[in-house]
Structure formats: C-alpha cells, structure tokens
Amino acid sequence: MEPILNRMLYKLRLLCLIAILAVIVVTSTSGTAGAASTKDTDSEIIALFQENRFEEIIQTAANAQRLNAWENLLLAKSYERLGYYHRSNRVLKVLFNQNPDYRYFIPYFIAKNYEELKDYSNALKWYGLIVNSRIQSSETVKFMFLINAFERVVAIREDDPRLMPQCVKVLEKSLKHYPEASYYLGLLYDEHGDRQMAAAFYYEMLNNEREVNKKKTLERVIKDDVLIRSLNELGLRNTRLAEMLKEREFYEGAIYVSYLLPENARTLELRAYCNYKKRDYSAALGIYQSYYNKYKDPEALKQISLCYYMTGRHNQSYEYLKKYLLVMTGREDPGIDVMYLQHELERSRLNIKEYIEQAESSIEKYGFHEKVDRIIQNTFYRAIEVNEEDLGVKFLKKNYKSIKGTSFQAWALYILGIYKDEDYLHSMVDELPGSYYYFSAAPLIEVKPSLLRDADRYYNQGRMDKAFDIYIQLYSSGIQIEYVSSRILHIISDEEPYRSFFQLAAMERGRINSPLFDLLRMGLYDELKDIILVSYDSIDREQRMFLNYILSRVYYKTGDVYRGVLHAERMFNGYEVNNLLFLPKEILYLLYPNVYVDIINKTLSESSNNLDPYFILALIREESRYNNRAKSSKGAIGLMQLLPQTANWMANRNLSEEELKDPQENIEIGIKYVSYLHSRFDSLPEILAAYNGGPNNVKKWLARRPDNSTNKFIEEIPFTETRIFVKRVIRSYNMYMEIYGKESSL
C-alpha cells in the first residue's frame, strides 16, 4: 500500500502546485509589454527544461515571485510534457493575450495541445487564427508556422472526418491572402474522396504564379489517374503536365505521364531524358536506341554514347561517339560536353602528346568553362601517370590562365608551385583559405613582415582586393594574426554569403533577436524540428541557410552528430564560399565537431604511437561524416569505415555488423589499424593513402618515385579516389587544428 499512497500524495502535491500557479501565471505575465529574449536571463527554469526536469519546473515556478514570458512558456511546455494539456493551455492563453509578439506561434502550441486531447474542434479554431492572419512569405518564421498550421488543418479532417465542412471553411477563408491554400483544399477534398473538387483546387495551384506547393501538388496528382483526367478536362494537357514535372526534376512522374502521351519523337526523347537524369542509364540507353532507330536523330547517338559511358562500357561508348562525330562533320559544333567525353574516352587510346594536342584544341575553342577546367586537370594527371612530368607541367604552365573555377585555379597554381617555381604559391595562398592547397602551400612560402605596410596602405585607399590578398599571405605565415584576421573579417563581412554567416553568429550570441534562436536556447528541440522540416520546401532558398543552421544545432543538441553535420553543410548549398577559414567559429564548430573525445583519447593513450587526436577526428569526418551506421557499397562499416575482414584481423575475432557500428568498438579497432599503418609508413599522407588504397599499393607507389617530396607523392597517387581522400583528410585535420588546436587540446 505504501508505494500507492506515496504516488497519491505526490499527485496531490503536484495538483496543489498547479492551483497556485494558476494565480502566479496571470500575475507574472500581466503588464508584459512584449516578448523578452532568452538572452536576457540565465533562468533556472530554462536549465531545468533542457534536462527534462519538468516536475521541478512546476515547483520552482510555484515558489517564484515572478516569471518572465519565456519562463511561462516553458512552464506551459512542462505541463504538456507531463500530459497536463488543459493546464498548459491555460498558461499559453494568458501569454497569447498579454504578448502580441507571440500571436503567430502560441496559437499553434495551443492547437497541438487540443489535438492531444482529441478536441479537434477547438484545435481547428486556433489553427484558423494563424491561417487567416496576414503573413508575408518574407516573414520567414511566421510563414513557417502558417505552413504547419495548414498541414494540421488537413490532418484534423483525417482524425475527425465530421469536421470536413469546418476545415473547408477555414481554408477557403485563407484563400484571399494565400493562393497556396488551394493545395491544402485540394488535399482535403482528395482525402475526402471528391476527386473533381480536388482537381479544381490542384488546377488553381498549378496555374498560380508562385512556386510554393507546386511540387507537392504534382507529387499528389501523379499518383492518381482520375485526378490526371480531371486536370485534362480543366485544360491542363498531359504534355504540359509532363514538362512541369520535368522542370521540377520530378523525373519518375514525368516518365509515368509520358506513357499517357502519343508515342512520337518528343515523347520518346522526354522519357529517355528523364531516365538518364534519374540515373537509370540502362533504361535510358534502350529508349535512346529505339529513338535513333526510328527517327535517325544524330543527337541520340551522343546520348547513347553517354549512357554506355555512365554504365562503364567505354568501348561501346567510344564507337557511338565516333559515329556521332562522323555524322556531325561539317555541321554545327558538337559542343564542350562532347569534347569532354571524347577527351575521357581517348585517355588511354592516344599517346600523351596527342592527348595534350586534343586538350589544347578544346581549350582554344571553349576556354573558361568548367569542363575545360576538368580537361586541363585530367591532362596533367595523365602526363604524370605515364611518367611525363615535364610535359604535364609545361602544358599546365601554358594553359592555367584559361581556368575558370576558383578551386581549379588554386590547384593549378599549387601544382606549378611544387613542380615549377615556388613563386606561384604566393598567388595561390589567397585563393582558397581553408583548402588543402592553402594548408599545403603555406609552409612553403616566405612572407616578409614588411608587407603589412603595403596591405594597410591598400586598405586605407579602399583597394580591398589588393589588401585582402596580402593579408591572407601574412595570416598564412603567422604574422600579427589577431590584427591581420580582424582586417580580413572586416573586408569579407559585408559580402554575401559571409554577411549572412556573421548574422547567424550574432543571433547565436544574442546580439540579434530571433524567435527560433530563443526556442533553441530554451530546449524546444522537438518543436523546432517539426516546424522547420514540415515547412522547409516552402521557404525561399535564401532563408534556408538560417533554417539549416537551426536544424544543425538541434541535431547536435539531441545527439545526432551525422545530421548535425549534414545540415551544417547544407548551409552552403548554392553559395561559393572561398574563405572557409574565416567563417565565424559558431559555423566552424558545426562543420568540424569535437566529438567522441573520450573514446579517442583513451584509445590513443593505450597505444604506443604518437598520433594526433585531431587526425583521427579528421579521418572519421571524411570517412563517414560521423554516421556510426554508415555502410559503403564495398562493405566498409561504421565511423572509420572498416572492412569486416580488416576489423576481424585487428580484433583477432569475428565481429558482427552491429558491433562494428558501435562507436567505441569501431574507433578502437580503427585506431589500432591506423597504428599498424603508422608502423609501416613514415608520413600521414602515406598512412592515409594506405588506409584508402591499400598498403601494398602504397609500397609500389613509393618505390616508383622514391625521391619525391610528400606533396608530390600525393599528386602522383594513381587512384583518383585515394588522391582526393588524402587531400580531404589533410584539409580537415588542418581545419581541426585551426579551430581547436590553438585554443585547447582534446
């Protein structure tokens, strides 16, 4: 009986606290003019909430003389977490009435509580407050809650079909402000079984000028032949529908619709193209062959050649490419894509002099194109491969100024610096601070401290490009680091995307108010994930950097390092970031997390090697992006991507796949294998090359060019995948040292 009595007494005390708080909440929030920011307080309640100590929050609040708005929100959320939804809503409604700034998201939380209580009618009323308010798509945070509210209105109809008329009424009322509500009305009728009405609203959505929800509408429509026929009757022809799907890269849908079209040249070409784009090269090949046999379009020969190339059948690809070039002789220029394919296919068919001549012909004709950049790079490595270093360097020196891309420019200058003349490295260093080439070139150049005067003179004259180049060189040589970096930051902070990154850092530090950051600081991680992920596709691309930052922080907070890194990297989608080294630390911490510290330190302390913990972290980053459940196409498993046979050998026992996915087990065995390689090879690049390409191969490569410098050894690794892997790990290792090594140690 005693445990039962104790539980009853505990519940009684909790109910008493709740009754007291009903009074405290009203008095503590009255007179609050607006939203307080979480940066204004180191609240005990915030700390308790982040530790899931909800009962203690209720008790702390009962003893407090006054709670600020955010503390009351957490009090409401504590009630919710404990299942006291009515109590939670009582607090939330007070907040809603007292704080105008909260009126776009408090109704969402209230409605969600009503849904938990299965009081869908009241939930619908509160969602209606959001969807019938005037919110601009430029108001990102508010717009996110709007999209989520739309989604919940549709979900309510699914939970309680009797509320269909009320749901329709709410959404129809919102149409005058939000044309994208047509999608949700279509969805309502679709789920309700009224395809005619659904098609009418989907038709309105697809003819709307705004892009929001168009892809969702197409994805919905394509699953239902009745909807497609209804759209046809309304005036949307299948030809246009297929094009809309193709334009939005919904290739599977476009292929499906293509089978509803008449079998003609345009239909076959569309079907083949979409199969190619979704990387079903075998299907695309068959369709292109049928297309060519029927219509004799020479462009199909090119596509057949590409399909064969992508499936690894290079001889067949080459035969069809020759046919295409023969047919096109005397006609229009075949284009850079064809020349690039020819360059790839003739890599082993031409001697190096012929190969270089072909490359120079393409450079002369198509200079300053990304494919030309690749032709130049591939030609150099082909020369190295056949032991014609001098020819390769001569070719690169002649043509490097035709390179368009910044990363390729940095590569070319670096290659010329280590093979030809170190003076090229001075020009290279300021190209990509934070790249492999930057870190590899910096120790090789000598920068005079007196250059600081020149940089400052350019800076004062407003000639920022000149000043920037010199400041980067000074920084790379460690000359007056703090002063120089402050000048660099001042120069780049007004340029996009750096301005946005620095604004994110300011929000993180509380210098710029942001409701989403406040929710993050409070620990409302589940709410943030739901709100952002549901609305993500409806938000402008420019705002997604901000959302990916929040998601990255949320995933780190909830222990999902892999998704944390994934969203940190998505911040860069669509942007060229050449100055990685000078991004705010808040961004760099997300890109290069300091994780698995205890396991790495303990394992290294028990080994006899002198490996750097940051080196292991860099290796994990580039092998798996910290995804402990990663499994490659070759069967490598876990954080350090260990092949089962290698892991079993190192562990001296047979390990299960689940054991290899365990972070501690994987790291311990991985470090043991790296230590073994360390005993066989002298440098980190050699260890990395052996880790990826096999120790026996590395022995052969070293024997071929025993006098090579470490930098040249890396460039002359015959396996492209291994060469790229080595560079990526070295870059990450240096970034870890830059971010953490100068501040603290693992």
Side-chain angles (χ1 to χ4, degrees):
M1 286 291 292
E2 188 174 341
I4 296 173
L5 286 172
N6 286 339
R7 285 198 297 273
M8 290 176 65
L9 287 170
Y10 171 77
K11 286 187 176 180
L12 184 60
R13 285 197 299 271
L14 193 59
L15 288 171
C16 290
L17 286 171
I18 289 169
I20 295 168
L21 282 166
V23 177
I24 290 177
V25 167
V26 175
T27 56
S28 65
T29 58
S30 61
T32 304
S37 171
T38 54
K39 69 181 173 59
D40 298 328
T41 178
D42 294 323
S43 168
E44 180 186 357
I45 288 177
I46 292 177
L48 291 171
F49 190 87
Q50 291 177 345
E51 296 171 7
N52 298 325
R53 293 158 66 182
F54 307 122
E55 294 92 345
E56 291 179 56
I57 288 174
I58 294 172
Q59 188 167 1
T60 300
N63 296 328
Q65 292 183 349
R66 184 180 182 85
L67 300 178
N68 66 29
W70 289 115
E71 290 169 331
N72 270 310
L73 177 56
L74 289 182
L75 175 62
K77 282 293 176 179
S78 297
Y79 283 137
E80 175 204 301
R81 297 293 201 268
L82 294 170
Y84 296 108
Y85 301 111
H86 283 301
R87 297 290 178 181
S88 176
N89 273 356
R90 184 176 296 177
V91 178
L92 289 171
K93 287 174 183 178
V94 172
L95 282 171
F96 176 74
N97 290 324
Q98 296 291 339
N99 295 274
D101 291 344
Y102 293 176
R103 292 195 174 184
Y104 65 93
F105 71 82
I106 292 296
Y108 183 79
F109 294 148
I110 293 172
K112 289 280 280 185
N113 279 340
Y114 277 125
E115 283 196 78
E116 291 292 337
L117 292 164
K118 300 192 185 307
D119 185 350
Y120 299 116
S121 182
N122 267 317
L124 188 59
K125 290 176 185 176
W126 284 93
Y127 286 133
L129 287 179
I130 302 172
V131 302
N132 290 311
S133 58
R134 289 177 176 269
I135 297 173
Q136 302 297 320
S137 60
S138 58
E139 300 176 278
T140 303
V141 178
K142 293 181 181 180
F143 194 69
M144 286 165 53
F145 279 95
L146 172 71
I147 296 298
N148 276 266
F150 277 134
E151 296 279 350
R152 297 314 307 163
V153 170
V154 175
I156 283 175
R157 191 225 65 86
E158 294 175 13
D159 291 328
D160 189 349
R162 295 171 301 174
L163 292 173
M164 176 69 177
Q166 293 93 316
C167 292
V168 170
K169 186 176 179 181
V170 167
L171 292 181
E172 282 183 338
K173 188 177 178 182
S174 70
L175 267 177
K176 58 185 176 183
H177 302 311
Y178 309 112
E180 50 270 12
S182 294
Y183 165 72
Y184 297 103
L185 278 160
L187 209 53
L188 272 180
Y189 283 109
D190 202 349
E191 295 289 345
H192 197 62
D194 189 339
R195 297 291 192 274
Q196 290 295 325
M197 286 296 291
F201 282 108
Y202 288 150
Y203 181 80
E204 290 298 320
M205 185 71 253
L206 293 174
N207 282 287
N208 180 31
E209 289 183 0
R210 293 185 60 186
E211 191 63 28
V212 175
N213 288 336
K214 277 192 180 179
K215 189 169 183 180
K216 286 182 181 178
T217 304
L218 289 166
E219 288 172 348
R220 187 76 186 186
V221 164
I222 207 61
K223 298 174 183 177
D224 194 319
D225 287 345
V226 175
L227 285 173
I228 293 174
R229 286 197 297 271
S230 297
L231 287 171
N232 293 164
E233 291 169 5
L234 290 167
L236 182 61
R237 299 300 173 213
N238 285 334
T239 305
R240 177 60 188 140
L241 181 59
E243 285 299 322
M244 292 177 77
L245 290 160
K246 174 185 166 186
E247 288 165 6
R248 288 157 185 82
E249 300 180 0
F250 190 15
Y251 300 119
E252 195 69 52
I255 292 167
Y256 179 83
V257 174
S258 76
Y259 285 100
L260 304 177
L261 297 171
E263 285 290 306
N264 54 33
R266 184 176 179 182
T267 302
L268 281 176
E269 188 177 18
L270 170 71
R271 195 177 300 152
Y273 173 86
C274 290
N275 273 289
Y276 184 88
K277 293 300 286 185
K278 75 183 189 76
R279 300 183 181 183
D280 188 346
Y281 302 116
S282 295
L285 175 62
I287 299 167
Y288 276 124
Q289 285 175 326
S290 298
Y291 175 71
Y292 179 72
N293 291 336
K294 191 169 185 179
Y295 298 103
K296 302 302 179 186
D297 182 350
E299 287 300 308
L301 292 170
K302 177 178 73 175
Q303 296 304 132
I304 291 169
S305 176
L306 282 167
C307 289
Y308 274 125
Y309 179 78
M310 298 305 293
T311 54
R313 290 176 281 181
H314 291 181
N315 288 334
Q316 293 94 323
S317 176
Y318 189 54
E319 289 305 312
Y320 272 92
L321 182 65
K322 287 194 295 184
K323 288 180 183 179
Y324 174 73
L325 291 172
L326 182 63
V327 171
M328 296 300 289
T329 303
R331 298 191 188 184
E332 62 187 61
D333 178 15
I336 182 60
D337 290 337
V338 171
M339 298 310 295
Y340 177 73
L341 178 61
Q342 182 182 12
H343 188 74
E344 286 291 285
L345 291 170
E346 293 185 340
R347 183 182 179 96
S348 58
R349 290 179 168 88
L350 301 178
N351 66 48
I352 188 60
K353 290 184 178 179
E354 292 171 331
Y355 196 62
I356 287 174
E357 286 174 7
Q358 183 198 81
E360 290 184 333
S361 174
S362 296
I363 294 166
E364 184 178 355
K365 188 179 270 189
Y366 306 107
F368 293 102
H369 190 284
E370 59 183 24
K371 290 285 176 67
V372 168
D373 294 352
R374 294 191 180 279
I375 286 173
I376 292 173
Q377 188 175 74
N378 292 347
T379 303
F380 171 79
Y381 283 123
R382 177 60 179 159
I384 294 296
E385 188 180 313
V386 296
N387 296 315
E388 291 286 358
E389 176 187 307
D390 291 342
L391 278 178
V393 172
K394 183 180 178 182
F395 162 79
L396 186 58
K397 184 176 183 297
K398 178 181 177 182
N399 295 290
Y400 80 95
K401 290 184 179 179
S402 297
I403 291 176
K404 178 184 179 182
T406 304
S407 61
F408 283 97
Q409 289 171 359
W411 165 81
L413 291 168
Y414 173 74
I415 293 295
L416 291 171
I418 64 173
Y419 280 95
K420 182 72 176 173
D421 188 335
E422 288 188 1
D423 284 347
Y424 286 101
L425 298 177
H426 286 269
S427 301
M428 184 269 123
V429 165
D430 54 51
E431 289 285 348
L432 285 173
S435 68
Y436 163 79
Y437 303 111
Y438 168 87
F439 288 121
S440 298
L444 303 177
I445 65 173
E446 182 180 347
V447 179
K448 297 177 181 178
S450 59
L451 281 175
L452 182 59
R453 290 195 299 271
D454 296 334
D456 284 343
R457 184 175 73 255
Y458 288 130
Y459 181 90
N460 293 329
Q461 292 172 352
R463 300 168 68 183
M464 296 304 178
D465 288 346
K466 287 268 191 183
F468 179 81
D469 291 349
I470 300 174
Y471 283 136
I472 294 293
Q473 292 184 35
L474 291 163
Y475 183 90
S476 71
S477 295
I479 297 170
Q480 294 199 31
I481 290 288
E482 290 187 12
Y483 173 78
V484 168
S485 61
S486 69
R487 286 297 176 99
I488 292 170
L489 293 176
H490 184 263
I491 291 171
I492 67 173
S493 60
D494 285 334
E495 303 172 359
E496 287 294 355
Y498 305 103
R499 182 191 294 112
S500 295
F501 286 123
F502 284 107
Q503 285 177 345
L504 281 173
M507 290 177 188
E508 181 68 68
R509 297 164 193 167
R511 294 175 185 170
I512 299 177
N513 288 336
S514 167
L516 288 189
F517 273 91
D518 286 326
L519 296 177
L520 177 66
R521 293 185 192 102
M522 284 189 289
L524 295 175
Y525 307 134
D526 291 339
E527 287 84 349
L528 281 168
K529 271 195 285 189
D530 290 344
I531 290 161
I532 294 174
L533 292 174
V534 167
S535 58
Y536 185 85
D537 289 338
S538 301
I539 302 302
D540 291 340
R541 186 183 68 83
E542 292 76 14
Q543 298 298 322
R544 291 181 187 175
M545 178 195 292
F546 170 66
L547 300 184
N548 278 309
Y549 181 86
I550 295 289
L551 282 173
S552 178
R553 294 275 283 111
V554 165
Y555 281 117
Y556 274 118
K557 287 288 187 180
T558 53
D560 191 338
V561 180
Y562 167 64
R563 284 188 174 82
V565 174
L566 184 69
H567 283 284
E569 292 182 326
R570 284 180 180 172
M571 287 190 286
F572 296 82
N573 286 356
Y575 296 104
E576 187 175 13
V577 180
N578 295 330
N579 300 299
L580 180 69
L581 195 58
F582 299 103
L583 292 180
K585 285 291 176 70
E586 288 83 356
I587 307 294
L588 295 176
Y589 291 147
L590 299 180
L591 291 169
Y592 297 90
N594 201 358
V595 290
Y596 302 115
V597 172
D598 293 338
I599 300 172
I600 293 172
N601 267 339
K602 182 176 181 297
T603 307
L604 287 176
S605 68
E606 294 170 354
S607 67
S608 58
N609 63 61
N610 59 349
L611 289 169
D612 190 328
Y614 294 119
F615 176 70
I616 302 301
L617 271 176
L619 182 54
I620 292 172
R621 183 184 193 276
E622 297 308 322
E623 279 288 12
S624 67
R625 281 302 192 269
Y626 315 98
N627 181 6
N628 65 296
R629 305 199 66 79
K631 186 174 181 179
S632 75
S633 58
K634 296 179 182 177
I637 297 169
L639 290 171
M640 297 186 72
Q641 287 291 279
L642 300 171
L643 289 169
Q645 58 267 35
T646 304
N648 293 340
W649 173 48
M650 285 290 113
N652 201 27
R653 64 187 178 91
N654 289 328
L655 295 153
S656 69
E657 185 170 316
E658 283 306 306
E659 284 180 297
L660 283 174
K661 288 178 179 177
D662 176 70
Q664 181 162 338
E665 192 83 55
N666 193 279
I667 290 173
E668 287 176 356
I669 296 170
I671 288 177
K672 189 173 182 180
Y673 183 54
V674 174
S675 299
Y676 161 75
L677 295 175
H678 191 22
S679 69
R680 293 190 62 184
F681 299 102
D682 297 331
S683 69
L684 294 184
E686 291 170 12
I687 293 170
L688 290 172
Y691 195 92
N692 181 269
N696 291 334
N697 285 322
V698 173
K699 285 289 186 184
K700 293 176 188 174
W701 301 338
L702 289 169
R704 189 181 66 179
R705 301 288 290 271
D707 299 327
N708 258 359
S709 66
T710 299
N711 293 327
K712 286 186 177 181
F713 164 76
I714 295 170
E715 296 304 330
E716 295 177 15
I717 292 173
F719 299 170
T720 303
E721 177 192 326
T722 300
R723 184 170 64 244
I724 292 171
F725 171 77
V726 170
K727 291 181 179 182
R728 284 178 174 169
V729 177
I730 291 173
R731 192 225 10 215
S732 285
Y733 178 33
N734 279 281
M735 285 300 296
Y736 267 110
M737 292 298 291
E738 283 283 334
I739 298 165
Y740 301 102
K742 296 175 182 177
E743 303 176 350
S744 60
S745 66
L746 285 171

